[in-house]
Amino acid sequence: MSQPPANPDDAHLREETVSSQTVFQGKLLHVRSDRIRLPDGAQATREFIVHPGAVMVVPILDDGRLVMERQWRYPLAQVMLEFPAGKLEPGEPTLQCAQRELFEETGYRAREWALAGALHNAIAYSNERIEIWFARGLTAGERRLDEGEFLDLQLCSVDELDRRCAAGEVTDAKTLVGLQWLQNWRAGRWVIQGLTPA
């Protein structure tokens, strides 16, 4: 993951790495324990998860409904309603990943793609960065789930998704952010390059 350019105004907050150790290396994640130097010169430990990065797709049907997924999330031991998403493969461009994940998980292909932005969903303990892509002009097809992947598709209106988020039924951070982007874009408050509100 590339680092943003240093801002000189942040110098008094910056922490510097003294040493780094891999604590765990898994198929998806690895955990590091770094010794760091604080701005006042003291040292401390930072434990965090290194993530390859991911994408999330906000798929919009011609009638305005959204293609959502219901999937069991083992750490929470419950089914979650969320937008299609997936991790980047090594060297994979993010748009290619978004197109692949949308097709594999939902069977849909899109005629229009636009990058909305990015989010960091766990900044205190992970470097995971998720790009948010909007997809329109959807054409249905047969999905190709990965081995061991089980999920149901659900179509939701924006208003229905908003009600479910407000009621606390949807708590997935990336889906909440995706809905915020969608609502602000539709209201003309936020611009997504290459995509005009329908």
Side-chain angles (χ1 to χ4, degrees):
M1 289 267 156
S2 62
Q3 297 294 321
N7 182 338
D9 294 337
D10 296 341
H12 66 289
L13 300 173
R14 184 172 293 278
E15 298 176 351
E16 302 292 338
T17 306
V18 174
S19 63
S20 182
Q21 176 186 1
T22 296
V23 177
F24 169 80
Q25 179 74 53
K27 290 182 180 179
L28 170 63
L29 308 171
H30 84 263
V31 179
R32 278 183 23 194
S33 178
D34 287 7
R35 196 75 183 147
I36 59 104
R37 183 173 295 106
L38 298 167
D40 65 1
Q43 291 194 10
T45 300
R46 296 287 183 256
E47 296 175 346
F48 64 101
I49 298 167
V50 177
H51 189 282
V55 298
M56 181 191 73
V57 181
V58 179
I60 306 168
L61 293 167
D62 291 344
D63 64 7
R65 288 181 299 165
L66 307 170
V67 179
M68 310 286 299
E69 298 176 351
R70 296 179 68 253
Q71 186 171 183
W72 181 264
R73 291 302 192 178
Y74 184 82
L76 299 177
Q78 70 183 78
V79 171
M80 303 291 283
L81 181 68
E82 55 194 288
F83 284 119
K87 74 173 181 69
L88 292 164
E89 298 296 338
E92 183 179 33
T94 54
L95 174 56
Q96 183 178 317
C97 180
Q99 293 168 333
R100 175 179 56 76
E101 289 291 344
L102 179 65
F103 177 69
E104 288 177 357
E105 294 184 358
T106 72
Y108 283 97
R109 295 189 188 273
R111 187 176 61 253
E112 291 180 81
W113 287 91
L115 175 63
L119 69 101
H120 295 91
N121 65 331
I123 59 174
Y125 59 86
S126 178
N127 70 348
E128 181 178 9
R129 179 179 188 273
I130 302 172
E131 282 196 1
I132 303 166
W133 286 87
F134 276 49
R136 282 198 312 199
L138 302 181
T139 304
E142 188 174 341
R143 62 187 181 164
R144 296 182 185 157
L145 295 174
D146 291 335
E147 185 178 348
E149 189 172 34
F150 302 90
L151 56 88
D152 293 336
L153 297 183
Q154 182 172 333
L155 304 182
C156 287
S157 70
V158 176
D159 289 343
E160 178 187 355
L161 180 58
D162 185 70
R163 282 193 300 272
R164 295 183 74 173
C165 290
E169 296 173 26
V170 177
T171 59
D172 173 56
K174 66 185 183 304
T175 298
L176 293 168
V177 172
L179 175 63
Q180 181 186 28
W181 269 100
L182 178 62
Q183 291 173 321
N184 279 286
W185 169 69
R186 288 178 69 197
R189 291 186 294 267
W190 292 8
V191 174
I192 299 176
Q193 294 300 322
L195 208 60
T196 54

